[in-house]
Amino acid sequence: MKKVKVLQLPIANSRAGITHYSMRNWDSIDRTRFHFDFVTFSKKIDFEDELTKDGCKVHYVSCYAEQNREQFISELKAILSEGYDAIHLHTGYWKNFLVEEIAIEMGIPIIIVHAHSNMVCIDDPDLRQQAVESHEQQKKLFMPEHATHFLACAKSAAEWLYGPQIPKEKIRILKNAINTEKFAFNPKVREEYREKLGLKDSFVIGHVGRFAYQKNHEMLIEIFAKVSKEIPHAKLMLIGNGEGLDSIKEMVSTLGLEERVLFLGLQSDIEVPKLMQAMDIFCLPSRFGGLDLVLVETQTSGLKCIVSDIMPEEAKITGNIQFLPLDIDAWYEAIVEVSKGYTRTDCKDIVASAGYSLENQIHELERIYSGQE
């Protein structure tokens, strides 16, 4: 039987965000029926060997459309000429609809646009504002004819990307589902990893995410600097990489917190669930975002979570999550309160019953990719 050939666009040289979502789907989909290839704008994908050994191809595109339109069109057409049945476009905000238009021209049967965020992730405030204004103008031009399927991780992401011209009944909210068993609370693994990392008697504050403007690591460090004075045994565990890593390391050094902050870098999908077991609280002071996968994962593991109040209400799956404004004192008080102790329990059944079972979502994607829905 001929496999359904799906192109995922884009992935980056990280295991976070959209890349994490695409990789997780590849790990879980029925590979006897479906084949994935990937497009990246990164110069290098460190985990490319993992994909090629599974038979996947990673297509490198040398420029964005706004940098060199003709070159971009030429490269994308060459990729699409390899005969894809579906293209899954993971989108944060609009610059243009060139990929959609080329996919239509090339006769790709299934064109999926998938909203993953609710703001522009650019550090510079002037450039960010320009991008927001451009996005809002482009959004008015986006029409139902540009795609066959319109997905979003949350209602706020759908509203941000699609606007009123895409009928609500055409938009499908596809929850950021996970393998709940993989993230279930495991006291044995917790003890093992706290011993391994020298955290046996520590109160561990955790964060998983790319070092970028959106994730607001600067505020997290300021919060931790204050918490560390109140809780001498507090440690901060940071998992991820990104363009802002060096500046955060410099900030930590300036504050004299080098011995209290663990920079663990990029971790595999096998290690991240185990490292979450070692945490005592998870903090996500993002400036904006959709429903992050990491919030589903941490709640499954029974962790207390404190997140910024810009996160969508759908993020509240268990009773272990607290939404706060981006105010350092409020976060400090909430973290200190959690440090007094709580009973951590396995929440995988709660998360699964709320519709975040990866098995169910993968079946939904399989039906979309194969043209059954």
Side-chain angles (χ1 to χ4, degrees), residues 156-174:
S156 61
E159 290 166 3
W160 160 256
L161 196 69
Y162 297 126
Q165 65 274 24
I166 305 300
K168 280 188 168 48
E169 61 269 20
K170 281 185 171 286
I171 300 169
R172 183 182 303 198
I173 304 300
L174 207 61

Side-chain angles (χ1 to χ4, degrees), residues 51-234:
L51 295 171
T52 55
K53 78 177 183 183
D54 287 337
C56 303
K57 182 183 288 188
V58 178
H59 298 282
Y60 287 85
V61 176
S62 65
C63 61
Y64 290 97
E66 57 270 24
Q67 295 171 322
N68 188 329
R69 184 181 176 89
E70 294 308 314
Q71 181 68 22
F72 177 84
I73 291 173
S74 174
E75 293 182 18
L76 187 61
K77 282 188 173 181
I79 293 168
L80 293 181
S81 69
E82 297 190 11
Y84 290 97
D85 302 296
I87 180 169
H88 194 155
L89 305 172
H90 304 280
T91 308
Y93 65 97
W94 292 121
K95 297 178 184 177
N96 55 65
F97 317 123
L98 196 53
V99 177
E100 290 83 350
E101 290 165 355
I102 294 171
I104 292 168
E105 180 187 338
M106 298 288 288
I108 306 299
I110 296 169
I111 302 170
I112 304 159
V113 174
H114 197 154
H116 285 276
S117 187
N118 58 12
M119 182 41 88
V120 175
C121 186
I122 296 177
D123 289 1
D124 184 277
D126 294 331
L127 293 177
R128 185 169 62 255
Q129 184 56 35
Q130 290 174 24
V132 169
E133 291 172 3
S134 174
H135 162 80
E136 292 297 338
Q137 290 301 314
Q138 288 291 316
K139 182 164 68 174
K140 295 173 184 176
L141 304 175
F142 185 68
M143 295 296 161
E145 294 75 24
H146 279 112
T148 59
H149 295 77
F150 307 87
L151 308 182
C153 67
K155 290 178 183 176
S156 61
E159 290 166 3
W160 160 256
L161 196 69
Y162 297 126
Q165 65 274 24
I166 305 300
K168 280 188 168 48
E169 61 269 20
K170 281 185 171 286
I171 300 169
R172 183 182 303 198
I173 304 300
L174 207 61
K175 292 181 176 180
N176 280 341
I178 64 167
N179 180 337
T180 53
E181 193 64 46
K182 187 176 176 181
F183 289 90
F185 179 51
N186 187 321
K188 184 177 179 182
V189 173
R190 173 177 167 81
E191 183 179 350
E192 175 191 342
Y193 270 69
R194 286 174 71 88
E195 184 78 38
K196 177 180 175 181
L197 295 167
L199 300 172
K200 191 173 181 181
D201 299 315
S202 300
F203 174 69
V204 182
I205 301 166
H207 182 278
V208 181
R210 188 165 57 92
F211 284 80
Y213 173 81
Q214 174 187 1
K215 299 302 181 182
N216 201 9
H217 283 84
E218 295 85 357
M219 180 176 167
L220 182 57
I221 299 303
E222 290 182 56
I223 294 165
F224 180 69
K226 187 167 184 177
V227 167
S228 65
K229 293 174 183 175
E230 176 70 21
I231 309 173
H233 59 292

Side-chain angles (χ1 to χ4, degrees), residues 15 22 89 94 106 114 155 212 222 272 292 297 320 325-326 351 358 360:
R15 292 185 181 270
S22 296
L89 305 172
W94 292 121
M106 298 288 288
H114 197 154
K155 290 178 183 176
E222 290 182 56
V272 170
D292 284 9
E297 295 166 349
N320 288 330
L326 294 178
V351 173
L358 181 57
N360 291 339

Side-chain angles (χ1 to χ4, degrees), residues 297-314:
E297 295 166 349
T298 49
Q299 287 181 84
T300 302
S301 73
L303 270 175
K304 291 285 187 182
C305 302
I306 302 177
V307 305
S308 56
D309 59 5
I310 57 83
M311 301 303 286
E313 185 62 31
E314 298 105 301

